[in-house]
Short mmCIF file of all heavy atoms in Angstrom, two decimals:
data_model
loop_
_atom_site.label_atom_id
_atom_site.label_comp_id
_atom_site.label_asym_id
_atom_site.label_seq_id
_atom_site.Cartn_x
_atom_site.Cartn_y
_atom_site.Cartn_z
N GLY J 10 37.95 216.38 143.42
CA GLY J 10 37.14 217.64 143.34
C GLY J 10 37.86 218.62 142.30
O GLY J 10 38.56 218.18 141.41
N ASP J 11 37.45 219.83 142.39
CA ASP J 11 38.00 220.87 141.52
C ASP J 11 39.34 221.38 142.08
O ASP J 11 39.39 221.71 143.20
CB ASP J 11 37.06 222.01 141.40
CG ASP J 11 35.73 221.58 140.67
OD1 ASP J 11 35.74 220.71 139.80
OD2 ASP J 11 34.59 222.15 141.04
N PHE J 12 40.33 221.34 141.18
CA PHE J 12 41.62 221.77 141.58
C PHE J 12 42.12 222.73 140.57
O PHE J 12 42.18 222.42 139.36
CB PHE J 12 42.59 220.56 141.79
CG PHE J 12 43.93 220.90 142.21
CD1 PHE J 12 44.30 220.96 143.60
CD2 PHE J 12 44.99 221.27 141.27
CE1 PHE J 12 45.51 221.26 144.00
CE2 PHE J 12 46.31 221.60 141.80
CZ PHE J 12 46.60 221.59 143.12
N LEU J 13 42.53 223.98 141.00
CA LEU J 13 43.19 224.96 140.11
C LEU J 13 44.45 225.47 140.65
O LEU J 13 44.50 225.94 141.80
CB LEU J 13 42.24 226.11 139.88
CG LEU J 13 42.73 227.26 139.01
CD1 LEU J 13 43.03 226.75 137.59
CD2 LEU J 13 41.79 228.44 139.01
N LEU J 14 45.48 225.33 139.87
CA LEU J 14 46.88 225.85 140.29
C LEU J 14 47.09 227.08 139.59
O LEU J 14 47.05 227.20 138.33
CB LEU J 14 47.87 224.75 139.97
CG LEU J 14 49.42 225.15 140.20
CD1 LEU J 14 49.63 225.60 141.64
CD2 LEU J 14 50.27 224.02 139.89
N VAL J 15 47.31 228.19 140.28
CA VAL J 15 47.55 229.48 139.73
C VAL J 15 49.05 229.84 140.06
O VAL J 15 49.37 229.79 141.20
CB VAL J 15 46.63 230.56 140.22
CG1 VAL J 15 46.97 231.99 139.63
CG2 VAL J 15 45.20 230.21 139.96
N THR J 16 49.78 230.07 139.11
CA THR J 16 51.27 230.42 139.38
C THR J 16 51.57 231.81 138.89
O THR J 16 51.10 232.20 137.84
CB THR J 16 52.25 229.40 138.84
OG1 THR J 16 53.52 229.73 139.24
CG2 THR J 16 52.26 229.37 137.31
N GLN J 17 52.44 232.54 139.72
CA GLN J 17 52.94 233.81 139.29
C GLN J 17 54.27 233.59 138.47
O GLN J 17 54.71 234.55 137.91
CB GLN J 17 53.20 234.64 140.50
CG GLN J 17 52.00 235.08 141.38
CD GLN J 17 52.36 235.66 142.65
OE1 GLN J 17 52.83 234.99 143.60
NE2 GLN J 17 52.38 236.89 142.75
N ASN J 18 54.74 232.41 138.39
CA ASN J 18 55.97 232.07 137.83
C ASN J 18 55.89 231.91 136.31
O ASN J 18 54.88 231.39 135.88
CB ASN J 18 56.65 230.88 138.42
CG ASN J 18 56.82 230.91 139.90
OD1 ASN J 18 57.12 232.09 140.42
ND2 ASN J 18 56.65 229.89 140.60
N ILE J 19 56.84 232.32 135.56
CA ILE J 19 56.70 232.16 134.04
C ILE J 19 57.58 231.03 133.56
O ILE J 19 57.67 230.83 132.34
CB ILE J 19 57.24 233.56 133.39
CG1 ILE J 19 58.68 233.83 133.70
CG2 ILE J 19 56.36 234.68 133.71
CD1 ILE J 19 59.26 234.99 132.97
N ASP J 20 58.13 230.30 134.43
CA ASP J 20 58.79 229.08 134.08
C ASP J 20 57.93 227.85 133.76
O ASP J 20 56.68 227.97 134.02
CB ASP J 20 59.80 228.62 135.14
CG ASP J 20 59.24 228.36 136.42
OD1 ASP J 20 58.46 227.36 136.61
OD2 ASP J 20 59.49 229.08 137.41
N ASN J 21 58.42 226.81 133.32
CA ASN J 21 57.55 225.60 132.99
C ASN J 21 57.74 224.39 133.92
O ASN J 21 57.43 223.26 133.45
CB ASN J 21 57.94 225.23 131.46
CG ASN J 21 59.44 224.75 131.39
OD1 ASN J 21 60.22 224.83 132.31
ND2 ASN J 21 59.72 224.38 130.11
N LEU J 22 58.14 224.73 135.14
CA LEU J 22 58.40 223.63 136.02
C LEU J 22 57.19 222.85 136.45
O LEU J 22 57.14 221.65 136.70
CB LEU J 22 59.25 224.10 137.24
CG LEU J 22 60.62 224.62 136.89
CD1 LEU J 22 61.22 225.21 138.14
CD2 LEU J 22 61.49 223.48 136.37
N HIS J 23 56.11 223.58 136.62
CA HIS J 23 54.83 222.92 137.00
C HIS J 23 54.41 221.99 135.91
O HIS J 23 53.99 220.82 136.17
CB HIS J 23 53.70 223.99 137.23
CG HIS J 23 53.80 224.57 138.58
ND1 HIS J 23 53.71 223.80 139.76
CD2 HIS J 23 53.79 225.95 139.04
CE1 HIS J 23 53.84 224.68 140.81
NE2 HIS J 23 53.89 225.91 140.41
N GLU J 24 54.50 222.36 134.69
CA GLU J 24 54.07 221.48 133.57
C GLU J 24 54.99 220.32 133.51
O GLU J 24 54.54 219.14 133.24
CB GLU J 24 54.16 222.24 132.18
CG GLU J 24 53.09 223.23 131.95
CD GLU J 24 53.55 224.64 132.37
OE1 GLU J 24 54.39 224.74 133.35
OE2 GLU J 24 52.95 225.68 131.89
N ARG J 25 56.21 220.52 133.69
CA ARG J 25 57.26 219.36 133.60
C ARG J 25 57.00 218.47 134.78
O ARG J 25 57.31 217.21 134.65
CB ARG J 25 58.66 219.94 133.59
CG ARG J 25 58.98 220.64 132.39
CD ARG J 25 60.36 221.40 132.48
NE ARG J 25 61.45 220.71 132.89
CZ ARG J 25 62.63 221.21 133.23
NH1 ARG J 25 62.85 222.46 133.02
NH2 ARG J 25 63.69 220.39 133.51
N ALA J 26 56.42 218.84 135.93
CA ALA J 26 56.04 218.00 136.99
C ALA J 26 54.77 217.19 136.68
O ALA J 26 54.59 216.21 137.39
CB ALA J 26 55.94 218.78 138.30
N GLY J 27 53.97 217.69 135.75
CA GLY J 27 52.76 217.02 135.44
C GLY J 27 51.52 217.65 135.88
O GLY J 27 50.41 217.14 135.70
N SER J 28 51.58 219.00 136.28
CA SER J 28 50.39 219.76 136.54
C SER J 28 49.57 219.97 135.21
O SER J 28 50.15 220.26 134.20
CB SER J 28 50.60 221.00 137.16
OG SER J 28 51.20 220.90 138.52
N ASN J 29 48.31 219.93 135.33
CA ASN J 29 47.36 220.06 134.15
C ASN J 29 46.50 221.30 134.29
O ASN J 29 46.43 222.15 133.38
CB ASN J 29 46.57 218.80 133.93
CG ASN J 29 47.42 217.65 133.57
OD1 ASN J 29 48.11 217.75 132.50
ND2 ASN J 29 47.31 216.55 134.13
N ASN J 30 45.71 221.40 135.37
CA ASN J 30 44.76 222.46 135.50
C ASN J 30 45.51 223.72 136.00
O ASN J 30 45.49 223.99 137.21
CB ASN J 30 43.62 222.15 136.33
CG ASN J 30 42.35 223.05 136.06
OD1 ASN J 30 42.30 223.81 135.09
ND2 ASN J 30 41.41 223.02 137.05
N LEU J 31 46.13 224.41 135.16
CA LEU J 31 47.22 225.40 135.51
C LEU J 31 46.96 226.72 134.76
O LEU J 31 46.75 226.70 133.58
CB LEU J 31 48.52 224.88 135.22
CG LEU J 31 49.79 225.71 135.35
CD1 LEU J 31 50.02 226.14 136.87
CD2 LEU J 31 51.03 224.92 134.77
N ILE J 32 47.10 227.83 135.53
CA ILE J 32 47.00 229.16 134.93
C ILE J 32 48.35 229.87 135.19
O ILE J 32 48.76 230.05 136.39
CB ILE J 32 45.89 229.97 135.48
CG1 ILE J 32 44.55 229.41 134.99
CG2 ILE J 32 45.97 231.47 135.00
CD1 ILE J 32 43.34 230.16 135.63
N HIS J 33 49.06 230.38 134.22
CA HIS J 33 50.18 231.20 134.33
C HIS J 33 49.72 232.68 134.32
O HIS J 33 49.57 233.20 133.16
CB HIS J 33 51.23 230.97 133.26
CG HIS J 33 52.03 229.77 133.43
ND1 HIS J 33 53.19 229.84 134.01
CD2 HIS J 33 51.92 228.50 133.03
CE1 HIS J 33 53.76 228.62 134.12
NE2 HIS J 33 52.96 227.79 133.50
N MET J 34 49.40 233.31 135.47
CA MET J 34 48.78 234.61 135.43
C MET J 34 49.78 235.64 134.92
O MET J 34 49.28 236.72 134.40
CB MET J 34 48.18 234.94 136.74
CG MET J 34 49.22 235.06 137.89
SD MET J 34 48.42 235.48 139.50
CE MET J 34 47.91 237.10 139.08
N HIS J 35 50.97 235.49 135.04
CA HIS J 35 52.06 236.40 134.44
C HIS J 35 52.63 235.92 133.14
O HIS J 35 53.75 236.50 132.74
CB HIS J 35 53.12 236.59 135.61
CG HIS J 35 52.63 237.28 136.78
ND1 HIS J 35 53.22 237.38 137.99
CD2 HIS J 35 51.38 238.05 136.98
CE1 HIS J 35 52.58 238.02 138.87
NE2 HIS J 35 51.43 238.43 138.16
N GLY J 36 52.12 234.95 132.55
CA GLY J 36 52.52 234.45 131.22
C GLY J 36 53.45 233.29 131.35
O GLY J 36 53.79 232.77 132.46
N GLU J 37 54.09 232.95 130.16
CA GLU J 37 54.93 231.77 130.05
C GLU J 37 56.13 232.15 129.10
O GLU J 37 56.01 232.55 128.05
CB GLU J 37 54.15 230.67 129.38
CG GLU J 37 52.91 230.23 130.19
CD GLU J 37 52.23 229.07 129.41
OE1 GLU J 37 52.74 228.04 129.26
OE2 GLU J 37 50.98 229.27 129.07
N LEU J 38 57.26 231.89 129.80
CA LEU J 38 58.59 232.18 129.08
C LEU J 38 58.71 231.36 127.88
O LEU J 38 59.40 231.70 126.88
CB LEU J 38 59.77 232.10 130.05
CG LEU J 38 61.07 232.44 129.72
CD1 LEU J 38 61.09 233.94 129.32
CD2 LEU J 38 62.08 232.11 130.84
N CYS J 39 58.24 230.12 127.84
CA CYS J 39 58.48 229.19 126.69
C CYS J 39 57.28 229.33 125.65
O CYS J 39 56.96 228.45 124.96
CB CYS J 39 58.48 227.79 127.26
SG CYS J 39 60.07 227.53 128.16
N LYS J 40 56.64 230.49 125.71
CA LYS J 40 55.68 230.78 124.65
C LYS J 40 56.03 232.25 123.99
O LYS J 40 56.57 232.93 124.66
CB LYS J 40 54.27 230.76 125.20
CG LYS J 40 53.78 229.34 125.35
CD LYS J 40 52.26 229.39 125.87
CE LYS J 40 51.81 227.94 126.02
NZ LYS J 40 50.39 227.88 126.41
N ALA J 41 55.57 232.41 122.78
CA ALA J 41 55.76 233.65 122.13
C ALA J 41 54.43 234.14 121.50
O ALA J 41 53.56 233.24 121.19
CB ALA J 41 56.79 233.56 120.97
N ARG J 42 54.23 235.36 121.48
CA ARG J 42 52.99 235.99 120.96
C ARG J 42 53.30 237.00 119.85
O ARG J 42 54.24 237.81 119.88
CB ARG J 42 52.21 236.63 122.09
CG ARG J 42 50.83 237.20 121.74
CD ARG J 42 50.04 237.62 122.87
NE ARG J 42 50.38 238.96 123.44
CZ ARG J 42 50.91 239.02 124.63
NH1 ARG J 42 51.19 238.03 125.33
NH2 ARG J 42 51.14 240.21 125.04
N CYS J 43 52.47 236.90 118.81
CA CYS J 43 52.60 237.81 117.75
C CYS J 43 51.63 238.97 117.89
O CYS J 43 50.49 238.91 118.16
CB CYS J 43 52.12 237.14 116.31
SG CYS J 43 52.20 238.27 114.93
N GLU J 44 52.20 240.19 117.91
CA GLU J 44 51.52 241.39 118.12
C GLU J 44 50.71 241.83 116.86
O GLU J 44 49.86 242.69 117.01
CB GLU J 44 52.40 242.57 118.59
CG GLU J 44 52.98 242.40 119.94
CD GLU J 44 53.58 243.56 120.47
OE1 GLU J 44 54.44 244.26 119.73
OE2 GLU J 44 53.38 243.92 121.67
N GLU J 45 51.03 241.12 115.81
CA GLU J 45 50.24 241.47 114.57
C GLU J 45 48.94 240.67 114.49
O GLU J 45 47.79 241.17 114.31
CB GLU J 45 51.10 241.13 113.33
CG GLU J 45 52.38 241.96 113.28
CD GLU J 45 52.01 243.41 112.85
OE1 GLU J 45 51.00 243.64 112.26
OE2 GLU J 45 52.82 244.31 113.13
#
């Protein structure tokens, strides 16, 4: 069926475990964003 994993955590442990349909609602520490 439909499976959605929503995490409040900013680490990458879910990805490293193999989760795919994943939302980091508080962002991701291993990503950077350009404000420009």
Side-chain angles (χ1 to χ4, degrees):
D11 294 325
F12 182 91
L13 177 63
L14 176 56
V15 181
T16 186
Q17 297 171 279
N18 302 327
I19 61 174
D20 59 66
N21 60 358
L22 295 176
H23 281 302
E24 289 93 334
R25 288 167 59 184
S28 292
N29 290 307
N30 199 15
L31 171 65
I32 292 176
H33 280 271
M34 63 179 294
H35 292 161
E37 300 178 63
L38 189 56
C39 292
K40 288 186 178 180
R42 182 168 80 247
C43 177
E44 292 193 311
E45 296 290 336

